Amino acid sequence: ALAPGLRRSDLRDGLLSFDGQLVDDARLADALARTAAGFGARIVTRARATALTGHGARVVDGLTGTSLDVRARAVVNAAGVWAGELVDVKLRPSRGSHLVLAASTLGLGGTALTVPVPGARNRYALLLPQRDDRVYTGLTDEPVDGPIPDVPTVPQSDVDFLLGVASSVLERPVTPADVLGAFAGLRPLLDTSSGPSADLSRRHAVLTADGVTTVVGGKLTTYRRMAADAVDATGLTTARSRTADLPLVGAGPPTGPARLVTRYGA
């Protein structure tokens, strides 16, 4: 009843669980910046840091190309997968790809599916229902070598892998013709092992070298803990961090159409 598109043959049992949902990660980043600005932070966009020291950064204005030096009492490098371009830290980027499919085609409603990867142990893919009859299926965990792209692309090998995993549990196999879109991101994993990138720890690490505090690794779900640990490592303040339970812009009693409140908050 929850997932009519599941293949009935060989289906023995199921486990139902509940989790949180992030509707729009870009909106989350925007809300974080607006919340920080409300506490006095200066938010600068279209500016690229090209060099860091413990006392500031060299920044290039993305609109004019002008370079300038910014001075600071402390510097945190939270550049994600590009952190290694600013400090000496060894990362092993890992690509996570998603496909966009039609929920009605797959026979899915509002319940997500956690699908074991055939032939692997403790590896899973997800089918995540979205609004407007969309489903995201993901995700991959493939090492990325060479220069870090500004916008990672989804290779055909990832498309084939995800379609194969999804088809392994669905009554109607999905094909490349069913793919409405695709997107990928890169994980800034700390290089601590010679094994597959999927086996690297997802825990974040806070490193300090030459006065610069760098935070890498981690996951979006632990971003507040990562922020608190990074700021604590600078030694700028001994006050207890408030980030753990600080409401973001838009939090509060919902008012207005549910569709808009879900995406934009109150």
Side-chain angles (χ1 to χ4, degrees):
L2 294 174
L6 275 177
R7 191 176 68 246
R8 301 297 181 92
S9 61
D10 297 327
L11 179 60
R12 293 195 304 263
D13 48 40
L15 172 68
L16 181 64
S17 61
F18 297 87
D19 204 345
Q21 182 178 31
L22 177 62
V23 175
D24 189 333
D25 56 345
R27 276 311 288 189
L28 175 63
D30 180 73
L32 284 168
R34 293 174 60 199
T35 303
F39 281 88
R42 177 76 180 275
I43 307 298
V44 180
T45 61
R46 299 187 183 184
R48 180 168 55 92
T50 58
L52 300 179
T53 70
H55 306 287
R58 170 56 63 94
V59 177
V60 176
D61 186 326
L63 295 178
T64 66
T66 304
S67 297
L68 65 152
D69 292 320
V70 179
R71 292 180 295 175
R73 291 167 55 203
V75 175
V76 175
N77 173 21
V81 74
W82 297 276
E85 298 179 3
L86 294 169
V87 300
D88 185 15
V89 58
K90 191 174 182 181
L91 301 178
R92 289 182 63 192
S94 170
R95 183 183 62 251
S97 297
H98 289 81
L99 306 181
V100 183
L101 306 167
S104 55
T105 298
L106 275 60
L108 297 182
T111 301
L113 298 180
T114 302
V115 184
V117 175
R121 185 177 182 180
N122 294 328
R123 300 272 167 82
Y124 301 88
L126 301 172
L127 291 168
L128 301 171
Q130 307 294 313
R131 284 167 174 74
D132 302 320
D133 191 40
R134 296 292 184 259
V135 170
Y136 295 160
T137 179
L139 70 176
T140 61
D141 202 324
E142 297 296 328
V144 176
D145 299 319
I148 305 300
D150 287 344
V151 180
T153 57
V154 178
Q156 188 61 43
S157 57
D158 283 6
V159 175
D160 295 339
F161 168 78
L162 292 173
L163 291 178
V165 174
S167 296
S168 70
V169 297
L170 296 175
E171 189 67 45
R172 174 196 178 280
V174 286
T175 68
D178 296 314
V179 178
L180 304 177
F183 59 93
L186 299 179
R187 306 175 184 89
L189 302 180
L190 196 62
D191 190 358
T192 58
S193 168
S194 59
S197 60
D199 293 334
L200 292 178
S201 172
R202 266 47 177 175
R203 290 182 178 273
H204 65 277
V206 178
L207 315 169
T208 301
D210 299 325
V212 176
T213 300
T214 296
V215 55
V216 292
K219 303 180 71 174
L220 181 61
T221 46
T222 58
Y223 77 89
R224 292 195 186 219
R225 175 61 184 269
M226 295 169 66
D229 288 350
V231 172
D232 288 346
T234 67
L236 275 179
T237 176
T238 58
R240 182 182 176 87
S241 172
R242 291 183 291 167
T243 190
D245 53 9
L246 190 70
L248 299 182
V249 167
T255 57
R259 180 183 179 88
L260 296 181
V261 170
T262 300
R263 180 172 291 274
Y264 298 106

